[in-house]
Amino acid sequence: IHLPANRSIAKTKMIVMMHGGSWAQGDKADIDLIVAQIKVLYPELAIVNMNYRLADGTVANYHPSQMNDIKQLLDYIETKKTTWQVGSPTGIAGVSAGAHLAMLYTYAFDTDKKMKCVVNVVGPADFSDPLYTSSPIFQVVAANLLGKTWAQDPELHRSVSPALRVTTTSAPTFMAYGTIDNVVPISNAFTLRQRLITNNVTHTYVEYPTEGHEFSLTAISDLLPRVITFLKNNL
């Protein structure tokens, strides 16, 4: 939990951040350097960097466990905002699997519409993408998260696809992808962007033609100021 100086309930915005790791690994410490850079670029922002249950193939950790973890955290923060002197959490951001979870929660599980915006960096957006449904590797990963492969339950896979959960009331979305990403195909980005356009959802789309799934320092240096601008415009 990173609380800025001179904060107040009236003026201090907050963002929750989520790490990646194919839903099955990783830790909040993985994005500590990104958090540190955001603190420099947006020093008045409060940041909560969270962990969530990792999808290890056990029933207890199947979806929607991660959605429940986000909700539990948000409810806890709500009880602390007076003590911490911050506003309610109003944004959520993630990288890779964390971006998928951030989008899915915002579009489909944030029934109170508390999230004013979502930041998605290389997040899987469409589990029904043919490049995913035909990938044995992705199906193993997805089964760890969902308990079933696409062949076993396509509707379940569609239901956890953020792009397919976009509506006209979805929160403003920032999205960044690498054109040559071999983990999250650029077709996922195209589907998500088209759904945002069709539903007239405010969004920012950034595509890096020479980047894969792991962005270079050059791309990150370009990306972060764009994210900060988006947050300042939408929180």
Side-chain angles (χ1 to χ4, degrees):
I1 300 168
H2 306 267
L3 302 176
N6 305 313
R7 60 192 179 273
S8 70
I9 292 176
K11 70 179 183 180
T12 302
K13 305 295 184 180
M14 176 178 284
I15 190 164
V16 173
M17 298 191 63
M18 305 186 68
H19 67 84
S22 300
W23 301 281
Q25 57 190 346
D27 184 84
K28 61 184 183 293
D30 297 344
I31 54 174
D32 279 351
L33 291 178
I34 299 297
V35 171
Q37 293 178 69
I38 292 174
K39 288 170 67 175
V40 171
L41 293 170
Y42 196 173
E44 60 269 38
L45 181 69
I47 303 171
V48 175
N49 188 12
M50 72 171 287
N51 275 345
Y52 49 86
R53 270 175 282 185
L54 299 177
D56 56 5
T58 61
V59 174
N61 292 336
Y62 285 161
H63 167 81
S65 293
Q66 296 75 24
M67 299 294 99
N68 296 336
D69 292 342
I70 297 171
K71 177 66 163 57
Q72 185 176 0
L73 172 66
L74 297 179
D75 289 346
Y76 174 75
I77 292 172
E78 194 70 21
T79 69
K80 291 293 186 180
K81 66 178 185 178
T82 300
T83 302
W84 293 347
Q85 283 296 292
V86 298
S88 298
T90 53
I92 190 166
V95 176
S96 191
H100 163 266
L101 297 175
M103 288 190 291
L104 183 60
Y105 184 84
T106 302
Y107 298 155
F109 287 81
D110 182 25
T111 54
D112 297 328
K113 298 296 182 183
K114 290 183 177 180
M115 298 295 100
K116 288 190 176 180
C117 63
V118 57
V119 174
N120 152 37
V121 179
V122 299
D126 182 11
F127 282 33
S128 70
D129 190 313
L131 291 174
Y132 277 161
T133 61
S134 64
S135 167
I137 294 175
F138 183 79
Q139 290 309 305
V140 170
V141 173
N144 282 338
L145 175 67
L146 305 176
K148 295 180 180 179
T149 64
W150 167 264
Q152 292 170 323
D153 195 340
E155 188 52 42
L156 174 60
H157 282 240
R158 291 189 187 97
S159 74
V160 299
S161 299
L164 307 185
R165 304 303 297 267
V166 172
T167 69
T168 56
T169 62
S170 292
T173 301
F174 182 99
M175 48 190 296
Y177 288 90
T179 306
I180 57 174
D181 192 333
N182 61 3
V183 176
V184 179
I186 196 64
S187 52
N188 262 226
F190 296 159
T191 299
L192 174 59
R193 189 184 189 193
Q194 188 56 55
R195 286 297 299 254
L196 293 169
I197 292 171
T198 300
N199 285 278
N200 198 30
V201 177
T202 299
H203 66 281
T204 298
Y205 177 72
V206 183
E207 184 178 328
Y208 294 97
T210 60
E211 297 293 330
H213 196 63
E214 300 288 340
F215 280 6
S216 66
L217 292 178
T218 300
I220 293 172
S221 296
D222 177 81
L223 175 65
L224 285 178
R226 296 175 186 266
V227 170
I228 299 305
T229 297
F230 173 83
L231 292 176
K232 289 183 175 180
N233 288 338
N234 290 284
L235 281 178

